[in-house]
């Protein structure tokens, strides 16, 4: 499993916990539903419901328009919102090795450091990585415990109900916590932030679906960006120059690949008992998602993740 440098110092400034019942932006806006009702065994247990609900299944989120809330969002409200203090004890990489909450902080720090180095002046960190239990209000509307992790461009923040991983992975499957699967998911959501910063959201102006649609290209880009971070993760540093992550094991990468494959639209359609209809795809097939995660991980090249310039055959992973 991923190992953190015990000497590294953790920056908690962008990670907060809204506790039970939410916090943050209060106002109307759209719901963020997650299609459910799919169950069963598979892909080594640990990835099971994560792949059915998390990365590819926040279809109700308006990633392009920022959520369409009925109210004026102010980033300052994030600092005013109550923080449960869940992460107050997270200070070092040693804490991250012992506590999954602190590991979450370390992963956010690693993602922020990597993308700051990669993008330079084009980079602004996410506003927050906000965990919650039960429900939360965001600039993209209200979310509850049925929602997997998601990125809201309206407030440039990532939201995660941690009970999702606890209940699905531990209680229902009897396995450990999400481990690197959760970190892959966070890297994917951070990838959406990068796409937002670089203007790729503006290329998705329609509700078109299908294996080479703009919506699919946006999802595949987030997978590629997740792989890109994984390629460079062991070079990321804390504010003092200490390396944050000492090692990613092959098991970590294999879990990410399994998750990338299993959130494919074709896989989910099959597991739902229906036929595979690629005209309805919004996130890409298993082959596409694996291909683009590996494109980022194996190349380590930002330009190689431009799914919008890629040919249809390349997007289809038929190179």
């Amino acid at each position: 499993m991923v190992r953190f440098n015990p000497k590294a110092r953790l920056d908690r400034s962008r990670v907060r916990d809204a506790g039970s019942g939410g916090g943050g932006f209060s106002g109307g806006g759209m719901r963020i539903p997650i299609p459910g009702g799919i169950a069963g065994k598979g892909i080594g247990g640990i990835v099971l419901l994560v792949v059915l609900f998390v990365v590819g299944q926040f279809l109700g989120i308006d990633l392009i328009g920022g959520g369409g809330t009925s109210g004026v969002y102010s980033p300052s409200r994030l600092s005013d919102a109550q923080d449960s203090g869940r992460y107050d004890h997270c200070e070092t990489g040693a804490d991250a090795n012992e506590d999954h909450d602190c590991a979450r902080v370390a992963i956010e720090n690693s993602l922020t450091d990597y993308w700051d180095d990669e993008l330079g002046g084009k980079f602004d960190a996410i506003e927050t990585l906000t965990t919650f239990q039960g429900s939360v209000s965001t600039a993209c509307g209200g979310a509850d415990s049925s929602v997997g992790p998601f990125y809201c461009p309206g407030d440039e923040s990532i939201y995660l109900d941690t009970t999702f991983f606890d209940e699905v992975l531990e209680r229902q499957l009897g396995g450990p916590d999400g481990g690197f699967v959760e970190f892959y998911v966070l890297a994917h959501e951070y990838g959406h932030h990068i796409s937002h910063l670089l203007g790729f959201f503006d290329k998705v102006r329609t509700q078109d679906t299908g294996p080479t649609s703009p919506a699919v290209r946006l999802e595949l880009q987030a997978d590629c960006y997740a792989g890109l971070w994984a390629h460079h993760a062991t070079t990321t540093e804390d504010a003092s120059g200490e390396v944050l992550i000492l090692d990613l094991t092959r098991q970590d990468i294999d879990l990410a690949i399994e998750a990338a494959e299993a959130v494919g639209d074709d896989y989910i359609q099959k597991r739902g008992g229906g036929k595979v209809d690629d005209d309805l795809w919004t996130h890409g097939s298993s082959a596409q998602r694996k291909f683009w995660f590996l494109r980022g991980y194996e190349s380590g090249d930002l330009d190689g993740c431009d799914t919008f310039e890629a040919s249809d055959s390349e997007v289809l992973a038929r190179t």
Side-chain angles (χ1 to χ4, degrees):
M1 300 295 289
V2 59
R3 290 190 301 120
F4 301 98
N5 179 5
K7 297 179 181 179
R9 304 295 300 183
L10 302 184
D11 177 2
R12 303 188 301 269
S13 63
R14 292 173 303 276
V15 183
R16 71 184 189 100
D17 182 74
S20 179
F25 176 79
S26 63
M30 69 171 200
R31 298 284 297 158
I32 310 176
I34 297 296
I38 304 173
K41 300 288 185 179
I43 53 172
I46 190 171
V47 189
L48 175 62
L49 291 184
V50 174
V51 304
L52 298 179
F53 286 89
V54 180
V55 183
Q57 291 298 291
F58 51 100
L59 305 183
I61 296 178
D62 182 0
L63 287 174
I64 311 311
T69 64
S70 63
V72 178
Y73 171 74
S74 171
S76 65
R77 294 197 185 187
L78 289 174
S79 59
D80 294 337
Q82 182 178 1
D83 190 321
S84 72
R86 178 173 181 169
Y87 300 101
D88 288 353
H89 67 290
C90 298
E91 297 182 350
T92 68
D95 297 327
N97 283 325
E98 297 296 327
D99 186 295
H100 191 75
D101 282 348
C102 300
R104 190 176 296 121
V105 177
I107 292 297
E108 187 281 332
N109 289 185
S110 176
L111 285 160
T112 295
D113 181 70
Y114 168 65
W115 285 113
D116 187 28
D117 286 345
E118 184 67 59
L119 298 185
K122 296 181 180 180
F123 178 75
D124 286 310
I126 58 170
E127 186 71 27
T128 62
L129 166 59
T130 297
T131 56
F132 65 96
Q133 303 82 48
S135 64
V136 70
S137 295
T138 81
C140 293
D144 59 28
S145 58
S146 66
V147 178
F150 63 94
Y151 170 71
C152 174
D155 53 27
E156 297 188 340
S157 296
I158 295 170
Y159 294 89
L160 164 67
D161 184 347
T162 54
T163 62
F164 176 88
F165 287 96
D166 293 341
E167 294 181 8
V168 170
L169 293 175
E170 294 185 27
R171 299 179 188 177
Q172 294 187 29
L173 299 180
D177 60 40
F180 199 76
V181 173
E182 179 183 336
F183 304 154
Y184 156 71
V185 170
L186 292 177
H188 175 100
E189 301 308 334
Y190 214 113
H192 281 310
H193 178 59
I194 302 306
S195 294
H196 176 54
L197 293 179
L198 296 180
F200 287 106
F201 278 21
D202 295 337
K203 297 179 181 291
V204 189
R205 298 181 180 275
T206 70
Q207 299 299 316
D208 290 347
T209 59
T212 61
S213 65
V216 166
R217 290 172 186 263
L218 192 68
E219 290 300 323
L220 299 180
Q221 186 171 68
D223 278 334
C224 192
Y225 287 161
L228 193 60
W229 163 75
H231 176 95
H232 295 280
T234 55
T235 69
T236 57
E237 299 175 344
D238 69 6
S240 67
E242 284 281 355
V243 171
L244 279 165
I245 296 176
L246 296 178
D247 184 44
L248 294 183
T249 68
R250 186 63 208 183
Q251 180 187 11
D252 294 322
I253 301 305
D254 287 345
L255 282 172
I257 292 171
E258 288 180 20
E261 287 183 298
V263 291
D265 286 319
D266 55 341
Y267 181 89
I268 294 172
Q269 286 174 336
K270 290 176 184 177
R271 292 301 296 259
K275 67 177 182 178
V276 174
D277 185 352
D278 61 5
D279 287 337
L280 299 178
W281 291 358
T282 58
H283 290 68
S285 68
S286 296
Q288 287 177 291
R289 302 202 69 161
K290 176 182 179 181
F291 176 86
W292 284 98
F293 174 83
L294 286 174
R295 165 68 71 88
Y297 178 68
E298 293 176 350
S299 72
D301 178 25
L302 177 65
D303 291 338
C305 290
D306 190 346
T307 53
F308 290 88
E309 287 296 319
S311 66
D312 285 354
S313 64
E314 193 172 15
V315 170
L316 289 166
R318 295 174 183 167
T319 56

